Amino acid sequence: MRRLLAALVLAGGIGVAFFTLQSSKPGWWERLWYPLRYEQIVRGHAHNYELDPALLAAVIYQESKFKANARSKSGAIGLMQLLPGTAKGIAVHTGGTRFVVSDLYKPELNVRYGAWYLHHLMQKYGDGRTALAAYNAGQDNVDRWRRNGQAIQFSETRAYVKRVEDLKEIYRDAYGL
């Protein structure tokens, strides 16, 4: 009985410690939960495409958790979860001539294409929230919503935009991006 009581007290202490860490969120704690892999690639392409590096890292985390081999049910590939058709269009716009779908598993190329696309959406829509909505729901949906004077119509997309904005602050605080 004493051992059980001691175990419960210890477990409660661990729970309190976990809660304290989770609510205070020291930098090392956030870096543990929110890794920043491919940092030089993220920083480089954020700079090249005039993006906030914390935003680029947040999109990558939300899309793939920094897993270069990620593939969605819809066929999106890689760190930034690009659809092959979208990536082929980006390749053409950026001067590429030999697009191969398997290249989307390469972190450098995937982030370069994704950063270009995010920059394009920021330029087209003029604000980060709308650009993120288009990244998630597609330009056709966002264009239709705007034409009809509507806000984001998909709850999944509203949640996506909010989550990426929250992650952006986490990456800024944890990594100084």
Side-chain angles (χ1 to χ4, degrees):
M1 183 67 151
R2 285 184 193 171
R3 285 185 184 174
L4 177 59
L5 183 57
L8 288 173
V9 168
L10 179 60
I14 291 170
V16 169
F18 181 81
F19 176 77
T20 301
L21 285 170
Q22 191 66 4
S23 59
S24 66
K25 295 182 181 169
W28 65 267
W29 181 257
E30 288 186 325
R31 288 188 296 275
L32 177 67
W33 287 99
Y34 303 99
L36 176 58
R37 295 185 182 102
Y38 313 106
E39 184 173 356
Q40 293 307 317
I41 292 171
V42 170
R43 286 182 184 274
H45 288 305
H47 177 76
N48 290 344
Y49 292 105
E50 301 172 340
L51 295 170
D52 180 344
L55 174 65
L56 190 56
V59 170
I60 294 169
Y61 182 86
Q62 182 60 28
E63 292 291 339
S64 69
K65 305 280 190 287
F66 282 91
K67 294 177 184 160
N69 63 347
R71 186 177 181 102
S72 73
K73 293 178 209 160
S74 65
I77 297 171
L79 292 170
M80 296 195 69
Q81 289 293 279
L82 297 169
L83 291 169
T86 301
K88 186 174 183 179
I90 294 167
V92 169
H93 280 34
T94 59
T97 57
R98 297 179 184 211
F99 174 76
V100 179
V101 172
S102 62
D103 284 346
L104 290 176
Y105 290 105
K106 297 176 182 173
E108 196 285 324
L109 186 79
N110 192 286
V111 175
R112 179 164 40 111
Y113 283 6
W116 181 92
Y117 186 53
L118 193 54
H119 173 79
H120 165 75
L121 295 173
M122 298 281 270
Q123 294 292 318
K124 178 178 179 177
Y125 295 111
D127 74 274
R129 288 183 58 78
T130 308
L132 288 171
Y135 196 94
N136 178 259
Q139 294 180 70
D140 291 342
N141 286 317
V142 170
D143 292 344
R144 184 176 63 255
W145 299 336
R146 288 172 54 125
R147 242 186 345 268
N148 295 333
Q150 299 172 310
I152 298 170
Q153 295 296 296
F154 300 156
S155 60
E156 175 187 324
T157 300
R158 284 192 300 274
Y160 175 88
V161 170
K162 170 87 170 84
R163 178 69 173 144
V164 170
E165 288 177 333
D166 291 345
L167 286 165
K168 179 175 74 171
E169 294 309 314
I170 289 169
Y171 276 96
R172 181 171 289 129
D173 292 345
Y175 295 95
L177 294 177

